[in-house]
Amino acid sequence: MENQKVTQLNPKLGTPKTIVTIIVALIIGFLIFQSVTIIQAGHRGVVLQLGAVQPQVFDEGLHFRIPFIQTVIPMEVRVQKSETSQTSASRDLQTVATTIAVNHHLDGNNVNRLYQEVGMDYAARIVDPAIAEALKAVTAQYTAEELISKRSEVSAKVKEVLKEKLASYYIVLDEINIREFKFSEEFDRAIEAKQVAEQQALKSKLDLERIKIEKEQEITKAQAQAEALRLQKQEVTPELIQLRQIEAQLEAIRRWDGKLPNVTGGATPFINVDNK
């Protein structure tokens, strides 16, 4: 009865050959799965063969690798941002705290070299120290006031120095943005006092120029009046005086109402009237 029972169960479990086939198929499927790798958009694949970095770099898309022998490390080549605050000294020995934002990306053709020489922690090992060193090298060339007044020039120099430093480690610099320069409180107070003094000096200068212009206008006006009087004196002649007297007499006669003026005391004015 036991042999018959076992014989009845065997068809359900399958023959040994079938089991082996299933196992082989699973192994093959697993190997195929392990031999395929997909590199996502914005990344590159660093190929390691038994731990050694290989010269080829996988681009985006589907790739084949040797299972258990080759490993693919994805590395992002999109633009990345590093923002940091660094302390340095100006040429006049003022302490400067600079906040700077740096955009950079990895050289896709050389990510294998970066991985081999630096590793995945390249931001802390390379980017941040390079930013600090570039800022210190450039700010030391300018006074504190020049760092403010020549900000665009300072930014361009920092970018030039930083670009060269990052390029040696296969990192491409895209852009930098110096957000602010921050100085000590004593220096800020000194700058504020200087600005106030300059504003007061400018106001005094403008007041002096205004007073000078007003005086020149008064002199010009007086000169014009004097010249007008001189010309009038030159034009006065005996004939003109006599004409003005006659015009005054005619105007008085035109206004006379025919009545003699009332006089209290004294002689009565004589008016020569011709009755003829």
Side-chain angles (χ1 to χ4, degrees):
M1 290 294 293
E2 292 180 359
N3 293 335
Q4 184 178 0
K5 188 177 180 180
V6 172
T7 304
Q8 291 175 351
L9 291 175
N10 284 337
K12 295 181 180 180
L13 296 175
T15 63
K17 183 177 180 180
T18 303
I19 295 174
V20 171
T21 302
I22 293 173
I23 294 174
V24 171
L26 290 175
I27 293 174
I28 292 174
F30 178 75
L31 291 175
I32 293 175
F33 177 77
Q34 288 294 318
S35 65
V36 174
T37 184
I38 297 176
I39 305 301
Q40 300 296 329
H43 292 72
R44 296 292 185 271
V46 177
V47 181
L48 303 180
Q49 183 167 317
L50 298 177
V53 176
Q54 299 302 298
Q56 74 267 28
V57 175
F58 287 169
D59 293 330
E60 302 171 0
L62 180 67
H63 299 273
F64 292 96
R65 62 186 176 89
I66 303 174
F68 308 110
I69 295 178
Q70 289 184 336
T71 305
V72 179
I73 307 297
M75 297 190 69
E76 186 175 6
V77 294
R78 296 190 185 102
V79 175
Q80 302 177 50
K81 178 182 177 182
S82 297
E83 184 168 345
T84 181
S85 181
Q86 300 291 340
T87 301
S88 57
S90 62
R91 192 176 66 190
D92 53 350
L93 302 181
Q94 293 291 333
T95 301
V96 186
T98 307
T99 301
I100 182 172
V102 177
N103 291 337
H104 57 87
H105 69 273
L106 305 184
D107 181 0
N109 297 323
N110 292 288
V111 290
N112 54 342
R113 295 184 180 180
L114 175 63
Y115 182 84
Q116 185 178 39
E117 297 176 12
V118 180
M120 296 295 291
D121 196 19
Y122 53 85
R125 293 184 179 184
I126 302 299
V127 178
D128 293 343
I131 293 173
E133 188 176 352
L135 281 173
K136 290 178 181 179
V138 174
T139 55
Q141 302 175 20
Y142 296 87
T143 64
E145 291 187 25
E146 288 175 340
L147 290 175
I148 299 174
S149 61
K150 299 180 179 180
R151 185 166 179 166
S152 59
E153 179 181 327
V154 173
S155 179
K157 283 193 175 182
V158 172
K159 183 177 181 180
E160 181 181 354
V161 174
L162 183 58
K163 182 178 181 180
E164 184 178 353
K165 291 181 178 297
L166 294 180
S168 60
Y169 291 96
Y170 319 107
I171 301 174
V172 180
L173 178 63
D174 296 304
E175 192 55 74
I176 71 166
N177 181 19
I178 297 179
R179 297 190 179 275
E180 68 171 345
F181 288 119
K182 191 174 181 180
F183 304 93
S184 63
E185 295 182 359
E186 293 78 6
F187 179 78
D188 289 339
R189 285 195 294 267
I191 290 294
E192 184 178 357
K194 181 179 179 180
Q195 290 176 344
V196 171
E198 289 177 350
Q199 291 175 354
Q200 291 177 346
L202 179 61
K203 183 177 181 299
S204 300
K205 182 179 179 181
L206 293 176
D207 289 341
L208 289 174
E209 292 179 352
R210 177 179 56 79
I211 294 172
K212 180 179 179 181
I213 292 173
E214 291 177 351
K215 289 295 184 182
E216 291 177 351
Q217 290 176 343
E218 291 177 0
I219 293 172
T220 302
K221 183 178 179 181
Q223 290 176 345
Q225 291 176 347
E227 181 66 15
L229 290 175
R230 186 183 67 79
L231 294 175
Q232 288 179 1
K233 288 181 180 179
Q234 289 180 352
E235 294 177 356
V236 174
T237 60
E239 292 79 5
L240 180 60
I241 295 174
Q242 184 178 5
L243 177 60
R244 292 289 184 267
Q245 291 175 347
I246 294 173
E247 289 176 349
Q249 291 175 357
L250 291 174
E251 181 65 18
I253 294 172
R254 184 181 65 79
R255 294 183 178 182
W256 183 50
D257 56 2
K259 297 179 181 180
L260 293 175
N262 295 326
V263 180
T264 302
T268 301
F270 174 78
I271 299 176
N272 184 14
V273 179
D274 189 2
N275 294 325
K276 294 182 181 180

